[in-house]
Amino acid sequence: MPAYSAWASDVSDLAGASTDTVVFAIPDVWPWAYEDSDGRPQGSLVAVARRLAELTGVPVEPRLRPLRRAIIELDSGEVNFSLLFQSPALDNRAINVAEVVQIDIMLAALAGSDHPLSLEELAGKRIGYIRGTYLGEAFENNTEVQKVPVAVISQGIEMLSLGRLSAVLASDHAIVRTLQTMGLGTDALRFSKHIKAQPGALYMSRRAQRPQVAEKFRKAVSQMVESDELNQIFFGDAGRPTQDDAGRPASYSAQ
């Protein structure tokens, strides 16, 4: 992963960037990317792509795709860039341009509850999760907890309030944005980290390379990191959820 400090120069000299549009394949998964009621792409990853265009002057076309198709199009060169969770396999198939976010996978329970939040101590209890979401080997291989698929995180939170689940397992980004759309305060839940700092990266296709654009994007990402703009895009004013070592009641901390 390239160090941000290596690209810390100002991006104000990018006004003369290429006018050729670059195409992004963006996984169509709420709240990362989705279509609004007018059919326009929205979501945090779409916001990142649009902001890269604003900072660099490089026109960007975001295309919402199922995750597997986004990877196939990036691999084939049908698109120039994508924003995906970093993995060694993807690093071999595409060019890792820059890290844009680090996501924690969290166990969440109601704020008023007091049971410990760990897979070991939740043995025999019901944990909600989004089917098809990779949530780490420990959860994948666990046979002690009862895994309950939910359609969306808001359904999981409602089931927590009804006592039908003991915990929900999801990314901190998805949980924070869900709470905001439900009109709930950020103290509605408490958290324990299941997987720490899973990076999300900007990838460039090896078959449709745009090295000059990639360098401009790297500089723009660096500026967005230093200004805390990326953190705002993904988490807003609520900030990231935090927890104590025992997974007991916790608060949010903007960081």
Side-chain angles (χ1 to χ4, degrees):
M1 200 72 67
Y4 292 128
S5 59
W7 303 98
S9 59
D10 186 14
V11 298
S12 61
D13 61 338
L14 301 179
S18 169
T19 58
D20 294 334
T21 299
V22 297
V23 181
F24 276 68
I26 300 181
D28 186 3
V29 180
W30 191 94
W32 305 93
Y34 59 94
E35 285 189 354
D36 63 18
S37 57
D38 296 322
R40 283 177 47 84
Q42 302 292 350
S44 53
L45 296 184
V46 176
V48 170
R50 288 175 175 156
R51 187 63 177 138
L52 289 175
E54 291 172 357
L55 288 172
T56 63
V58 177
V60 165
E61 178 189 343
R63 297 179 182 175
L64 272 54
R65 296 288 188 261
L67 174 58
R68 291 184 180 179
R69 184 175 172 187
I71 294 173
I72 289 171
E73 291 185 357
L74 183 71
D75 202 30
S76 69
E78 185 174 343
V79 300
N80 305 109
F81 294 91
S82 188
L83 291 155
L84 301 161
F85 278 126
Q86 185 270 338
S87 72
L90 278 173
D91 286 347
N92 288 331
R93 296 171 64 176
I95 297 171
N96 190 329
V97 176
E99 181 181 305
V100 297
V101 68
Q102 288 192 351
I103 293 297
D104 294 329
I105 306 299
M106 311 292 287
L107 280 162
L110 291 180
S113 62
D114 62 1
H115 53 276
L117 286 176
S118 70
L119 291 184
E120 293 77 13
E121 292 178 283
L122 288 168
K125 298 186 181 297
R126 294 162 58 88
I127 299 179
Y129 74 104
I130 301 292
R131 189 190 300 275
T133 304
Y134 179 70
L135 297 167
E137 291 297 313
F139 182 71
E140 197 84 5
N141 298 326
N142 188 290
T143 59
E144 301 300 320
V145 300
Q146 298 182 48
K147 303 173 185 178
V148 180
V150 296
V152 290
I153 300 301
S154 58
Q155 180 188 5
I157 294 174
E158 290 170 357
M159 291 174 70
L160 284 175
S161 66
L162 294 171
R164 296 171 58 188
L165 292 176
S166 296
V168 169
L169 186 62
S171 73
D172 51 1
H173 172 51
I175 292 172
V176 168
R177 289 306 187 190
T178 298
L179 287 170
Q180 292 169 351
T181 61
M182 295 177 72
L184 294 175
T186 53
D187 57 352
L189 302 176
R190 60 188 183 86
F191 303 89
S192 177
K193 286 184 182 178
H194 173 63
I195 297 177
K196 297 180 181 180
Q198 183 173 348
L202 171 65
Y203 280 100
M204 179 173 63
S205 172
R206 293 187 183 276
R207 294 177 180 266
Q209 292 190 32
R210 300 290 295 273
Q212 293 180 338
V213 173
E215 181 174 349
K216 292 177 174 65
F217 283 170
R218 269 194 293 255
K219 292 179 180 180
V221 166
S222 176
Q223 176 174 321
M224 295 167 75
V225 169
E226 293 181 357
S227 67
D228 201 43
E229 186 174 353
L230 282 172
N231 198 46
Q232 282 290 317
I233 287 174
F234 287 102
F235 295 99
D237 294 334
R240 293 175 176 270
T242 60
Q243 85 301 321
D244 64 16
D245 291 340
R248 297 291 178 176
S251 61
Y252 277 74
S253 174
Q255 57 186 0

